[in-house]
């Protein structure tokens, strides 16, 4: 599995967060200020000042929501959720093809995430395009949904032609660096949990959980 999407917060929570972030008094800065040298050349958006009280408070809300999701924890095996920021793109703005920096001041990027906060019908363009093993995939999710994908992927945000696109982005440093290894662990964990839900605990399941734990211990860092 190259990516995972799910409902992280409710549409009502997304609307409340969106309204708080889009107040005219908030301090939005040129997105190039936080981009690497390559990405800065293709980055054209705005970012809420990370040091502002509002950004710190709302970033904490997003991190807590990710940490509270058993599905996301199983998929990402998060050691550190970091670099969380809110980005805003108006008409004619977007983000060209780039790859996220491997090491950031806040941590290593194994997985990237985008939490969509604007409803898709309120803007045109703005699809998140990810180049993967199965070709290019484009995503424009409903408000409150999150998309998590490997930071090793080339990706871009298509130019906005109408409206504005508000999202929250960030990175996850996983206990397991390899995407392939995480996918194996995720499948094993999901299968074991499905078996216990349908059939209850058993000696055989205990062996599966033992194998999962010891494999995680071997692969983790």
């Amino acid at each position: 599995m190259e990516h995972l999407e799910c409902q992280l917060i409710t549409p009502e929570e997304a609307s409340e967060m969106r309204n708080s972030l889009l107040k005219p008094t908030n301090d939005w800065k040129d997105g190039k200020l936080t981009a690497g040298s390559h990405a800065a050349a293709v980055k054209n958006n705005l970012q809420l000042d990370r040091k502002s009280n509002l950004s710190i408070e709302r970033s904490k809300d997003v991190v807590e929501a990710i940490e509270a999701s058993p599905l996301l924890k199983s998929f990402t095996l998060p050691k550190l959720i970091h670099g969380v920021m809110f980005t805003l793109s108006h008409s004619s703005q977007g983000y060209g093809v780039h790859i996220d920096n491997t090491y950031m001041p806040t941590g290593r990027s194994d997985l990237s995430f985008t939490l969509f906060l604007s409803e898709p019908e309120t803007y045109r363009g703005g699809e998140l395009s990810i180049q993967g093993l199965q070709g290019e995939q484009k995503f424009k999710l409903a408000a409150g949904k999150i998309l998590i994908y490997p930071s090793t992927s080339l990706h871009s945000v298509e130019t906005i032609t109408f409206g504005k696109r508000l999202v929250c982005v960030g990175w996850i440093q996983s206990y397991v660096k390899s995407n392939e290894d995480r996918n194996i662990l995720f499948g094993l964990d999901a299968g074991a949990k499905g078996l216990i839900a349908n059939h209850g605990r058993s000696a055989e399941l205990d062996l599966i959980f033992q194998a999962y734990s010891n494999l995680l211990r071997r692969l983790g860092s």
Side-chain angles (χ1 to χ4, degrees):
M1 181 182 291
E2 293 185 52
H3 68 270
L4 179 70
E5 60 181 84
C6 69
Q7 192 80 38
L8 181 68
I9 59 177
T10 67
E12 293 75 20
E13 289 170 331
S15 176
E16 187 277 326
M17 185 176 291
R18 183 171 65 244
N19 291 337
S20 69
L21 293 167
L22 292 178
K23 290 180 180 179
T25 53
N26 293 336
D27 188 11
W28 292 88
K29 299 182 179 296
D30 190 336
K32 287 182 170 58
L33 296 175
T34 59
S37 56
H38 170 70
V42 294
K43 189 174 186 179
N44 181 20
N45 63 13
L46 300 173
Q47 290 173 186
L48 185 63
D49 182 3
R50 283 186 181 179
K51 297 180 181 178
S52 69
N53 290 334
L54 178 62
S55 180
I56 293 170
E57 176 185 339
R58 306 291 5 200
S59 296
K60 183 180 177 182
D61 292 338
V62 173
V63 170
E64 289 178 349
I66 294 173
E67 291 176 337
S69 168
L71 176 64
L72 296 185
K73 287 178 69 176
S74 176
F75 182 71
T76 65
L77 299 171
K79 186 175 185 178
L80 177 67
I81 303 170
H82 63 94
V84 181
M85 69 178 96
F86 297 90
T87 72
L88 178 64
S89 302
H90 292 280
S91 182
S92 78
Q93 293 186 314
Y95 200 164
V97 177
H98 65 286
I99 189 167
D100 293 334
N101 290 338
T102 306
Y103 292 100
M104 304 178 179
T106 50
R108 189 183 68 229
S109 62
D110 298 320
L111 292 154
S112 305
F113 68 81
T114 297
L115 170 62
F116 291 77
L117 294 173
S118 295
E119 291 292 359
E121 65 273 11
T122 63
Y123 63 99
R124 290 196 294 269
E127 291 85 358
L128 173 59
S129 178
I130 302 174
Q131 298 179 23
L133 297 175
Q134 299 175 348
E136 185 179 52
Q137 292 181 281
K138 296 184 179 182
F139 302 89
K140 189 175 182 180
L141 305 184
K145 285 195 171 184
I146 190 171
L147 178 72
I148 299 183
Y149 57 96
S151 299
T152 52
S153 306
L154 285 169
H155 57 285
S156 61
V157 177
E158 299 196 0
T159 301
I160 303 290
T161 59
F162 171 81
K164 54 192 174 187
R165 174 186 187 265
L166 177 66
V167 298
C168 175
V169 300
W171 293 270
I172 297 173
Q173 180 174 329
S174 176
Y175 280 105
V176 177
K177 292 182 182 181
S178 164
N179 296 323
E180 183 179 2
D181 290 342
R182 278 197 312 273
N183 285 338
I184 293 171
L185 287 162
F186 179 62
L188 188 60
D189 187 45
K193 287 176 179 175
L195 286 172
I196 198 170
N198 291 325
H199 305 290
R201 293 201 70 92
S202 66
E204 292 78 9
L205 262 175
D206 287 340
L207 291 175
I208 293 175
F209 282 122
Q210 180 190 33
Y212 173 87
S213 296
N214 289 334
L215 185 59
L216 177 57
R217 186 175 288 109
R218 181 175 182 177
L219 297 174
S221 60

